[in-house]
Amino acid sequence: MTTSIKQADRDVAGGLAEEAVERCVALANHSETSIGLTRTYLSEPMKSVHRDVGAWMREAGMEVRVDAVGNIIGHYSADRPDAKKVMIGSHLDTVHNAGMYDGILGVVIGIEAIKSLNGARLPFAVEIVGFSEEEGVRFSSPFLGSTAIAGTFDDSLLARTDAQGRTLSQAIGDFGLNVDDIGKCVCPAGELLAYLEPHIEQGPVLETENNSLGIVSAIAGQTRMLVTFSGEAGHAGTVPMRTRIDALPAACELALYVERYGRCITDLFATVGQMTVEPNVSNVIPNLVRLSIDIRHPDDETRRVAVTQILMHANSIAERRKARFAIENRSDRGAVAMNQGISDVLKKAMQGEELPAPELVSGAGHDAMIMAHIAPTAMLFVRCKGGVSHHPDESVSIPDVADAIRVTAGFLKTFSTSTKG
Ligand code: HGY
Ligand code: MN
Ligand code: MN
């Protein structure tokens, strides 16, 4: 392609990238909180997100549907009937006090890549998906959207309650969806040719090596648990120190151990992100403390050993302090390698844009680790400033987003030359 056409391509992608970033900023207005961005599973603001994203999908030539677990899907039909499909997307829910690009950018890049086709059809359909729940914030269970499409949705979760006591099943009904239709979300076997997830890196590697984009080789496995220490409540001014069974110092001992353990194993990530104290008043000795433990590693055996070690230590703390302790396993997912063939197509698209194609492991979890069980899957990482994520300072540059849109469109064009659809 001559440089002038290439430059024209770049200019178009630049305009689409500007629009993509504006759209991420616009979606950040749809929040459960008046300050900052928090948008958890099927919360009220998700309806406004569906309104905006649905409009953008239709404008790009897609038919739009929302499935029974709240995934919004734009369908861009193929150049022939009964063609198979490629899915591109990410998630639209956020953590508390989130950044504007985690998940959302991948959906918007997908829409812009379809827009850049200017109505040209491919030998396969393309579906842009905005998954409804990846973070696992509201019901402490991640990937509710993608597991429904992958056919691995855990029905036992329907009875799980959120902080307000609403069950998952009620939340689905509250949003105007029908829990009896969850089975209809499943993507029929063999229909999906590939899944591609564009996503911010959420780490510093691309920025450190001065690359705008990267290809994910594998996604680290992750274990999320809730550990509860139970002691004895009592008057803070009268119960002698040596006779107390105080649940809070027990939990703090464990939190410090988790950090220490995480620091001594290469590539291990060990985090206590949540801690609730009961009765949580200053003049009562805490009798119940619940803490979350999040363990990740690219190697599953190393992660499993870490989980065992940490729980053994928790047990020894409880025994020594005569406290009781309980574990609840909230989520446990093995590491997932990305598909080499699809990653090679992505690499070819990057080379077509004269971009380096560095490979890196993702410590963060993604819907791609679910979709990889039903289709050849690849992830495209986009540099984010300082590697900051899960924070309001999360940010991307328009040129990097333009690279990602061109590469995503290039992926579709390259893939279409190698598929029968
Ligand atoms: O927590 C994660 O791994 C991702 O951001 N959901
Ligand atoms: Mn996230
Ligand atoms: Mn994410």
Side-chain angles (χ1 to χ4, degrees), residues 66-83:
V66 174
D67 72 12
V69 292
N71 297 316
I72 183 166
I73 300 160
H75 182 90
Y76 186 74
S77 55
D79 62 4
R80 64 199 68 183
D82 310 329

Side-chain angles (χ1 to χ4, degrees), residues 91 95 102 134-135 199 202 365 389-390:
H91 59 94
V95 292
D102 174 7
E134 185 273 344
E135 298 288 2
H199 198 289
Q202 298 179 298
S389 182
H390 283 190

Side-chain angles (χ1 to χ4, degrees), residues 31-33 35-41 43 93-99 102 135-139 163-164 273-274 389-392 394:
S31 173
E32 293 164 39
T33 50
I35 299 172
L37 169 58
T38 298
R39 189 170 60 238
T40 59
Y41 181 58
S43 59
D93 66 308
T94 75
V95 292
H96 288 172
N97 198 28
D102 174 7
E135 298 288 2
V137 171
R138 182 174 176 183
F139 290 97
Q164 282 66 43
Q274 239 175 337
S389 182
H390 283 190
H391 188 280
E394 203 175 83

Side-chain angles (χ1 to χ4, degrees), residues 184-231:
K184 295 177 187 162
C185 302
V186 181
C187 176
E191 189 175 291
L192 191 51
L193 295 168
Y195 172 68
L196 172 65
E197 182 162 358
H199 198 289
I200 52 169
E201 180 201 340
Q202 298 179 298
V205 174
L206 291 176
E207 185 174 67
T208 311
E209 296 174 359
N210 195 25
N211 289 312
S212 63
L213 304 178
I215 297 179
V216 174
S217 55
I219 301 173
Q222 54 170 273
T223 301
R224 299 190 195 186
M225 300 175 282
L226 275 180
V227 172
T228 305
F229 282 101
S230 307

Side-chain angles (χ1 to χ4, degrees), residues 91-149:
H91 59 94
L92 292 171
D93 66 308
T94 75
V95 292
H96 288 172
N97 198 28
M100 297 187 281
Y101 302 100
D102 174 7
I104 290 88
L105 182 66
V107 182
V108 171
I109 283 174
I111 296 171
E112 299 295 349
I114 293 295
K115 209 169 160 180
S116 73
L117 298 178
N118 290 321
R121 299 288 159 169
L122 303 166
F124 45 79
V126 183
E127 290 199 336
I128 307 299
V129 57
F131 292 113
S132 53
E133 155 61 81
E134 185 273 344
E135 298 288 2
V137 171
R138 182 174 176 183
F139 290 97
S140 305
S141 181
F143 310 123
L144 294 177
S146 44
T147 52
I149 289 181

